Amino acid sequence: MYKIVSRLLIYGDMPKDTILMELADIVRRMDDGSQKKEELMTRVFTQIKHLLQVATDYGFDKNLWHNYLTFLLITSENPFSITCEKVGANEGSVNDFAKGDFRAFKQLFAYDFNRLEEFLGVDCFSRISNYQAIGKKELMYNKNVSEKVQALSLRLEEARDENEFFDCVTGFYRDYGVGMFGLNKAFRISSGADGQVVFHAINNMEAVMLEDLVGYEIQKKKLIDNTMAFVQGRKANNVLLFGDSGTGKSTSVKAIVNAFYPQGLRMIEIYKHQFKDLSSVIAQIKNRNYKFIIYMDDLSFEEFEVEYKFLKAVIEGGVETRPDNILIYATSNRRHLIKENWSDRDDMESGNGLHRSDTMEEKLSLVNRFGVTISYSKPSQKEYFHIVTELARRAGIDMEEKELCAEANKWELSHGGISGRTAQQFVNYLLGRIV
């Protein structure tokens, strides 16, 4: 195995502690006798445990070795894979290097662990070649990743040579992309030890769709139209969804990402204290072949907070133009985002019948940079009852409409008032009473 791994060029720059590199070193030490059998067995069991951990995280089954190698291929961000993501596999000398690597990967797919098993007196590799996962696949957080990896793994198993292997892998890069952005819908960020921004996939994002949000048809259409223009490469605007709490603003943004994910839409959630990292985030994603929504939930600022200045510069007004593959979607309970006081009018100027305050202009300049503003107002009682009855019907709750509305009315009086969120909580309460 170590001889095969040594031939990898494009995909060979892997950390020494990866499963593949560790197993290659174990086989090498077995061949040259430089490590005791007991120590090699411990190392093998450690790598089997790591393979099982990956399988558990992503719901892999059947041949875990093949699934792991496939996972390596589709998460390896290198110049070749990123170029294929953008423009597909064009003719070029780099293809010869890639096919050499794929020839090696095909050999790794067919690698026979019998010699290692016989030397150590174990059968763990034979067991993971037809592994049966425990648990329900529909409960997995990474179901989307699992399905993609295993489907590609089966195709790579059937590839007759490196040319077919090449077509399968590069086709995947073209259709889905490479690395975490190709496999996941949404991300958060953190600061790494070197100060660089680190992306973390959100694997348990709510699988909500726009039709799950009852009402607000005009608002949803505005959001769909703007997002559709964006993913199709046409001009689109940053969006601010504002209004009463519990009316579906955040749900709408999650639903729009779920709806347009197959068309290359991804979401990066950023919190207020991370606005200083916005430039670094944009630098890392501006050249990728995806459309990114930078999402800011419950956005608002007190008068002493100045983070909004970072946001203003990024949205519009900085020296660097915002890339075409990035938009900002924000939700807020405040129409103007920044808290206003009567004292803001102290610098009011009057002239020719016009009144202007520099402080007010400064605070309003942020919201004015969102080209689309969508209002989500609290529903009327009639609309609230409609939301309740529709959610109850979808949930399969069998209750007379009159009784249902009466109980919903009692619920909202003691649970935060009329809103779509209150309606959903009431339906959840009813479902919890069903034995």
Side-chain angles (χ1 to χ4, degrees), residues 379-431:
S380 66
Q381 188 171 66
K382 182 179 179 181
E383 291 169 332
Y384 170 68
F385 288 153
H386 170 67
I387 295 172
V388 168
T389 53
E390 181 62 23
L391 291 177
R393 183 189 64 79
R394 294 178 184 179
I397 295 173
D398 185 17
M399 184 184 292
E400 289 290 335
E401 184 174 335
K402 186 175 181 180
E403 180 186 0
L404 182 66
C405 292
E407 291 299 316
N409 188 52
K410 293 177 186 177
W411 178 270
E412 64 91 0
L413 289 172
S414 58
H415 291 84
I418 292 174
S419 71
R421 178 183 295 149
T422 305
Q424 183 63 66
Q425 291 170 346
F426 171 64
V427 171
N428 292 344
Y429 164 73
L430 294 180
L431 290 171

Side-chain angles (χ1 to χ4, degrees), residues 6-70:
S6 68
R7 297 201 300 270
L8 293 175
L9 190 154
I10 295 175
Y11 293 86
D13 188 20
M14 285 179 276
K16 292 183 178 180
D17 60 351
T18 56
I19 297 171
L20 176 59
M21 300 302 283
E22 282 285 346
L23 288 176
D25 186 65
I26 288 169
V27 174
R28 181 179 65 81
R29 289 180 178 275
M30 176 186 71
D31 286 349
D32 64 20
S34 61
Q35 196 166 16
K36 295 180 181 178
K37 182 184 292 187
E38 293 77 11
E39 293 175 348
L40 291 176
M41 185 179 297
T42 299
R43 291 182 64 190
V44 163
F45 287 163
T46 298
Q47 298 313 310
I48 292 294
K49 180 181 177 182
H50 291 168
L51 274 172
L52 292 174
Q53 184 63 56
V54 173
T56 301
D57 288 344
Y58 294 98
F60 297 158
D61 56 14
K62 298 180 181 178
N63 195 315
L64 299 190
W65 175 240
H66 291 175
N67 289 335
Y68 167 70
L69 292 175
T70 305

Side-chain angles (χ1 to χ4, degrees), residues 348-356:
M348 186 74 73
E349 296 178 7
S350 299
N352 296 323
L354 297 176
H355 303 276
R356 183 177 66 86

